Amino acid sequence: MKKSTFILVLIFFIITSASAQKTDKEDENAISRSTVSLETLIQKESPIYVITKEHVSRTSGIRHVYLRQAINGLEVYGTESSVHIDNTGKTIVSHNNFLSDVKSSVISDSQSLTAEQAISAVANQMGYTLSDIQQLKTEEGISKKGLYNKAGISSEDIPVKLMYYYREGEGTILVWELSIAELETTDWWNFRIDAATGIIIDKDNWTEQCNILSDSNHDCGSNLSEYEILEMDINSNTETTAYAALFNVADGVGTYNVYPMPIESPYFGSRSLVVGPENATASPFGWHDTDGAIGAEFTNTRGNNVSAWDDEDANDAPDGAFTDSPGVDLVFDFPLNTTYSAGDQSTDAATTNLFYWNNIIHDVLYQYGFDEAAGNFQVNNYGNGGLGGDSVNALAQSGKSTCNANFSTPADGSSPRMRMYVCDDEDGDYDNWVIVHEYGHGIHSRLATTGGAERMNEGWGDYYGLMLTMQSSDVGTTARGFGSFAFQSVFPGSGGARTQPYSTDLAINDYTYDSINTEVSPHGVGSVWAMMLWEMTWELIAVHGFDTDFYNGTGGNNISLTLVTEGLKLQPANAGFVEGRDAILAADAAIYGGANACAIWAAFAKRGLGQSADQGLSTSKTDGTEAFDSPFAPIALCVADFAIALDVNGEVNLTVADIDNGSSVTCGPMSLSIDPKFFTCDDLGENEITLTVTDSYGFETTCTTTVTIEKHPTTLTYTGDLDEQYSDETNLSALLVDEGGNGLAGETILFTIGSQSTSGVTDANGIATATIIITQDPTPAYTVDVEFLEVACYTGSTDSDVFDITQEDAIVEYTGHLFQATAVNSNIATVELSANIQDITITNPDPLAGDIRNATVKFVDRDGGVDISPWIPVVDLFDPSDPTTGTVSWDWDVDLGNLTS
Ligand SMILES: [Zn+2]
């Protein structure tokens, strides 16, 4: 059985007879993309484009216009473009894939096959056996759009239409497009066939499988998560609950015994009777209506949004197997044994649960913009735009396969098909996350054109499933494994059918953008995307809280659904991850004025899809580059380098305020920290201080300042004698204090007077004392200098004062004449003056014996007050070996005049 989910499977591409010259032509005339303004283009009708879809979003008010280029009104596949215009008429996003000269790219426009021949050609190439082909609708218009019957090869009628098909690097040819839902497999192929040759040139599968068993290069066994299965809470026994049917078929309001939203599966909650779960906005006439008038048209599991039936016979047809309301009163309450067995299938309970959940998804997503105009699934669009006639065909317990589920999405106006399977004794119809996942394929298929190796299809499915099964008690770090109930037997781990469970805890789920290099496509790649969306959801919940009203709430979960759904509409065709992220940001800008940009960037950056992430080609999942940055990086501003001395405690304690110079963040609140911030004497010199600015999402920016830690300053004050006699001992002292005035003990202070110096050590009070016996001449002027040389933690300091050295005291004993007579006839008398000079040491011991040879003596007339002699050196010692005692003499010639004495 084929299970390939390749969107684009190249079979052949025949370039007709021109192939030999194609390379030359391509080289000299490569087709470039157009720069035409789509906004301007769509303002008037023109045969150069075709609008393929258009609607105004109920959530954003944005007019989404999707178009293809056209040649004479016939659309060109491969030129999918879109323009998105807000309600003020401003274009907010535009994706232009038009070719600059599409006509020159045409290498074949011959149509030699009719539509019926094209179907026959497909049947031949695919090995189908055609029978009784009939045209149901006449081909009309330039595209010759028509409809054929199932013709024995398809479970659905076969639509056909003519179009051009452009492939980059090759050119444009005319093709027939038609779809066939294979009878023997789950594949629903959409083919494009060369209209000239009948060769299939391209096909994509409208069926997307649910679990990774369907990946082309899967290696599930070795990738299985090691996590334990989540706690189980199985309510497997039959329940019979008494109830009163409050509503009836006339109201169109039903009662359903189901595992109601938000219960993920029987592991996570109990089945219960839900009365009137219909949403009045999304399903104004209830779930069993199709005519748009009060009252139900069906009393079974059929209605406007979904037709659910048991398809054990695997023919994809109802065969009358809808589950009926036994009382014809829209009460669907059936016994259930969740352990599926051939003898106890609980078919009605399963179909009821599947019917309920398809309707729930319809109603919830309607609020977020998956409505009629956007291409949702309804029989009757109640005049709200879009094409009707396409409710979901939901097949419970499909016999087509096991241990999987799938969803096929044809174009708007044709019903999609959901197949739920049994897996051993587990019935997928109770794994509500899986049901939503499948429906999610319908959502992205109708809201976006997806393709390429980087397509996120499986991610949206997982995401919507996560969102509709959130409980108010949930936290982001909880490990949630996809399909834990439905696929327990084949994926026995809490990662479920994914390689890792979903969790915002990186230790549980470490997916980043680069993970898609090794994750298989589409499921592994998709689950990386879902993890990013899940991360974003929890960031939004952190800001806005969680709201249990999934329809009209205002919580972070509601905002997430709004952004993701609108993002699908805004992204370009065949988008990759970066384009998907940017579309969500554009949605936030359009709907919330960008208020959630911080949270969105934080989430994507955490998972490697930050600002600098590079997608490469969306057709390759290995050429991207992850990045973890945000455009809202905090701005860190540091002060200029500075110096600071150790404080009185020998420390420096810096604060943020010492380093910050006006740092700021966009996503507040801001927190600031510095490192290092504490310094001691061991840190003297230059220290680089780093200021880290952190925003509320943990983004950091740093700057640095060099802080020079300096020693304690000291102050030295001389407090000792300021004068002393020669040969005497002078008392020296000084006070050494720090900047706090505290004396510094144990430090050596150097005292210097002239050429004499000594030192002292400070005591506990910081006082150092010393003595010097002065041996220097009284002249000239001296200073006393004190100096403290810097030590490990303290700066040096000095002080200085004027210091007088005075002459030493000495004893002078006059020994000369006391009187003198004059000579005869002369009035001049010569008086012999003399004195003994003796150092004071002799009578008053002095530390240093004075040397009287250095002394000078002068005789003075006390009466006249005049000097008799000059200063006379003492040269005569009494004892040549004793310099302490000597004598001096002077002859005084006195002019007595008339005086007598
Ligand atoms: Zn899927």
Side-chain angles (χ1 to χ4, degrees):
M1 185 177 294
K2 288 181 195 168
K3 282 187 180 175
S4 170
T5 56
F6 269 84
I7 284 291
L8 278 169
V9 178
L10 175 62
I11 306 295
F12 292 110
F13 191 66
I14 302 295
I15 307 297
T16 71
S17 57
S19 64
Q21 300 119 37
K22 184 188 73 69
T23 304
D24 294 336
K25 179 183 175 184
E26 186 189 333
D27 287 347
E28 71 195 34
N29 195 16
I31 305 301
S32 59
R33 294 288 173 177
S34 168
T35 55
V36 66
S37 162
L38 299 179
E39 178 187 359
T40 305
L41 185 66
I42 62 171
Q43 285 170 10
K44 61 174 187 181
E45 281 196 28
S46 164
I48 67 168
Y49 74 91
V50 170
I51 290 179
T52 53
K53 202 162 86 176
E54 175 179 12
H55 79 284
V56 175
S57 172
R58 70 168 48 240
T59 51
S60 65
I62 296 170
R63 179 181 165 217
H64 299 281
V65 182
Y66 305 90
L67 63 163
R68 280 181 177 143
Q69 198 163 13
I71 299 173
N72 300 325
L74 195 58
E75 65 191 274
V76 182
Y77 183 98
T79 60
E80 293 73 22
S81 302
S82 62
V83 56
H84 309 267
I85 302 160
D86 72 13
N87 53 18
T88 69
K90 184 175 143 234
T91 296
I92 57 167
V93 176
S94 179
H95 304 295
N96 186 349
N97 283 314
F98 276 34
L99 304 173
S100 60
D101 184 2
V102 67
K103 285 183 179 171
S104 74
S105 74
V106 175
I107 51 180
S108 168
D109 61 356
S110 108
Q111 185 218 321
S112 49
L113 272 66
T114 64
E116 189 174 327
Q117 287 170 328
I119 295 171
S120 179
V122 168
N124 284 338
Q125 291 165 74
M126 296 297 290
Y128 306 146
T129 305
L130 267 179
S131 65
D132 189 29
I133 187 167
Q134 291 174 23
Q135 190 176 34
L136 301 179
K137 277 186 197 162
T138 311
E139 294 159 12
E140 57 185 34
I142 187 169
S143 70
K144 301 183 180 178
K145 192 172 176 180
L147 187 68
Y148 284 80
N149 69 343
K150 300 178 176 67
I153 61 172
S154 177
S155 61
E156 301 288 335
D157 292 336
I158 301 170
V160 297
K161 76 174 184 181
L162 206 56
M163 62 187 347
Y164 282 102
Y165 179 96
Y166 169 74
R167 182 178 290 159
E168 189 155 11
E170 301 193 23
T172 301
I173 63 173
L174 197 63
V175 299
W176 281 106
E177 184 180 60
L178 59 93
S179 62
I180 292 169
E182 289 189 353
L183 298 174
E184 300 303 320
T185 76
T186 60
D187 296 328
W188 190 342
W189 294 111
N190 192 35
F191 296 100
R192 280 160 292 278
I193 303 108
D194 188 329
T197 65
I199 300 291
I200 298 170
I201 59 163
D202 180 57
K203 66 175 179 176
D204 57 86
N205 198 341
W206 281 347
T207 303
E208 304 209 43
Q209 309 289 339
C210 165
N211 77 43
I212 60 177
L213 289 177
S214 56
D215 277 323
S216 54
N217 54 344
H218 67 85
D219 185 14
C220 314
S222 62
N223 285 339
L224 276 180
S225 163
E226 62 194 20
Y227 295 98
E228 298 300 313
I229 286 187
L230 292 171
E231 190 176 338
M232 295 189 186
D233 179 17
I234 302 181
N235 294 273
S236 58
N237 294 328
T238 301
E239 301 161 24
T240 50
T241 308
Y243 63 89
L246 299 174
F247 301 94
N248 59 40
V249 68
D251 304 312
V253 174
T255 298
Y256 310 88
N257 195 347
V258 294
Y259 292 98
M261 181 170 73
I263 293 172
E264 178 187 326
S265 76
Y267 286 172
F268 300 93
S270 305
R271 203 166 68 120
S272 60
L273 273 176
V274 180
V275 180
E278 308 85 359
N279 178 271
T281 303
S283 298
F285 301 97
W287 287 350
H288 300 269
D289 179 85
T290 52
D291 67 356
I294 299 293
E297 274 74 74
F298 303 103
T299 56
N300 54 23
T301 49
R302 292 180 71 185
N304 203 43
N305 308 323
V306 56
S307 290
W309 69 84
D310 178 79
D311 198 48
E312 187 180 4
D313 65 3
N315 70 350
D316 296 335
D319 311 321
F322 298 108
T323 287
D324 292 309
S325 162
V328 200
D329 52 5
L330 302 186
V331 174
F332 297 83
D333 182 18
F334 302 99
L336 165 63
N337 182 346
T338 56
T339 303
Y340 178 94
S341 65
D344 186 359
Q345 300 182 357
S346 302
T347 301
D348 288 332
T351 307
T352 296
N353 196 66
L354 187 61
F355 177 82
Y356 163 88
W357 269 94
N358 270 269
N359 276 296
I360 284 289
I361 308 159
H362 168 277
D363 284 8
V364 172
L365 264 296
Y366 193 97
Q367 321 299 323
Y368 298 97
F370 188 49
D371 53 15
E372 297 95 339
N376 76 349
F377 309 123
Q378 292 181 203
V379 174
N380 187 335
N381 280 5
Y382 300 137
N384 293 322
L387 297 177
D390 59 356
S391 59
V392 174
N393 291 324
L395 283 51
Q397 300 177 355
S398 166
K400 207 107 182 181
S401 185
T402 61
C403 298
N404 209 331
N406 57 55
F407 197 91
S408 311
T409 316
D412 196 15
S414 296
S415 282
R417 179 191 292 138
M418 175 188 292
R419 292 191 190 87
M420 301 304 295
Y421 299 141
V422 172
C423 189
D424 299 324
D425 62 358
E426 296 129 16
D427 184 348
D429 294 297
Y430 306 115
D431 197 318
N432 301 325
W433 185 358
V434 175
I435 295 170
V436 181
H437 171 98
E438 298 309 331
Y439 200 103
H441 284 308
I443 297 169
H444 74 69
S445 296
R446 286 290 172 86
L447 297 184
T449 299
T450 61
E454 209 168 312
R455 68 186 184 276
M456 300 86 94
N457 297 10
E458 297 301 330
W460 280 301
D462 282 7
Y463 164 77
Y464 282 117
L466 281 163
M467 296 303 295
L468 268 57
T469 55
M470 290 184 81
Q471 311 252 14
S472 56
S473 57
D474 288 352
V475 293
T477 52
T478 302
R480 295 197 57 187
F482 174 73
S484 60
F485 178 81
F487 312 127
Q488 188 203 153
S489 62
V490 287
F491 299 107
S494 78
R498 303 290 177 257
T499 54
Q500 295 185 24
Y502 293 106
S503 168
T504 57
D505 182 349
L506 289 167
I508 296 174
N509 184 307
D510 64 4
Y511 286 156
T512 62
Y513 186 36
D514 274 0
S515 300
I516 68 172
N517 294 344
T518 50
E519 286 285 340
V520 294
S521 181
H523 292 91
V525 171
S527 65
V528 174
W529 178 245
M531 186 59 242
M532 292 179 180
L533 300 183
W534 190 231
E535 194 80 51
M536 181 187 81
T537 299
W538 283 100
E539 290 289 7
L540 291 167
I541 289 172
V543 177
H544 303 282
F546 174 78
D547 198 322
T548 55
D549 180 353
F550 287 4
Y551 300 87
N552 302 304
T554 57
N557 51 320
N558 307 99
I559 292 170
S560 175
L561 282 165
T562 301
L563 294 176
V564 171
T565 308
E566 194 71 16
L568 271 164
K569 299 178 179 182
L570 285 166
Q571 69 180 25
N574 307 318
F577 276 46
V578 169
E579 290 165 320
R581 178 204 68 195
D582 289 347
I584 287 169
L585 287 162
D588 183 55
I591 300 171
Y592 301 109
N596 299 296
C598 285
I600 296 168
W601 275 112
F604 282 108
K606 177 178 172 183
R607 296 292 174 170
L609 207 61
Q611 183 187 24
S612 305
D614 182 1
Q615 178 176 290
L617 297 172
S618 65
T619 49
S620 167
K621 71 184 184 72
T622 57
D623 67 347
T625 306
E626 67 182 11
F628 298 85
D629 55 344
S630 162
F632 303 130
I635 296 169
L637 297 174
C638 282
V639 298
D641 297 350
F642 65 93
I644 184 168
L646 294 169
D647 67 11
V648 66
N649 299 313
E651 300 169 350
V652 169
N653 273 295
L654 293 178
T655 66
V656 161
D658 294 324
I659 306 297
D660 179 40
N661 192 25
S663 301
S664 61
V665 299
T666 303
C667 306
M670 171 174 71
S671 60
L672 299 169
S673 64
I674 56 170
D675 184 66
K677 59 187 173 186
F678 178 73
F679 307 90
T680 66
C681 181
D682 295 336
D683 305 304
L684 294 176
E686 292 189 346
N687 291 269
E688 189 169 81
I689 316 299
T690 300
L691 171 69
T692 302
V693 186
T694 310
D695 71 11
S696 59
Y697 292 95
F699 288 104
E700 293 181 353
T701 304
T702 62
C703 59
T704 60
T705 293
T706 297
V707 175
T708 302
I709 302 298
E710 297 178 334
K711 299 177 179 186
H712 286 275
T714 61
T715 303
L716 184 61
T717 306
Y718 179 71
T719 56
D721 295 343
L722 294 174
D723 58 76
E724 192 55 76
Q725 291 182 357
Y726 172 84
S727 91
D728 282 359
E729 183 178 83
T730 187
N731 292 312
L732 306 168
S733 70
L735 173 63
L736 179 66
V737 297
D738 65 13
E739 66 276 35
N742 306 297
L744 299 177
E747 304 294 349
T748 300
I749 306 299
L750 182 68
F751 297 87
T752 303
I753 299 172
S755 61
Q756 292 181 272
S757 63
T758 186
S759 62
V761 175
T762 55
D763 64 12
N765 296 316
I767 297 168
T769 57
T771 57
I772 286 180
I773 296 168
I774 301 298
T775 59
Q776 299 171 84
D777 293 342
T779 56
Y782 291 87
T783 58
V784 55
D785 297 307
V786 284
E787 182 177 19
F788 166 58
L789 291 173
E790 68 173 357
V791 293
C793 300
Y794 292 89
T795 60
S797 51
T798 60
D799 194 18
S800 183
D801 275 304
V802 172
F803 191 91
D804 287 331
I805 297 178
T806 56
Q807 292 169 318
E808 189 176 27
D809 292 327
I811 297 170
V812 181
E813 182 186 6
Y814 183 69
T815 57
H817 293 171
L818 298 176
F819 62 92
Q820 181 68 49
T822 57
V824 178
N825 300 323
S826 172
N827 58 353
I828 299 298
T830 298
V831 182
E832 186 180 324
L833 305 175
S834 66
N836 290 340
I837 308 301
Q838 192 171 11
D839 180 61
I840 203 167
T841 306
I842 294 169
T843 55
N844 183 17
D846 218 1
L848 182 66
D851 183 344
I852 57 94
R853 290 173 296 184
N854 292 326
T856 54
V857 176
K858 181 165 69 176
F859 294 92
V860 179
D861 173 8
R862 290 191 196 276
D863 294 334
V866 295
D867 291 347
I868 296 170
S869 72
W871 286 102
I872 307 161
V874 177
V875 293
D876 297 322
L877 301 177
F878 291 111
D879 176 353
S881 65
D882 177 8
T884 64
T885 305
T887 183
V888 65
S889 60
W890 181 262
D891 290 337
W892 180 24
D893 291 330
V894 183
D895 182 355
L896 298 174
N898 297 320
L899 297 175
T900 57
S901 61

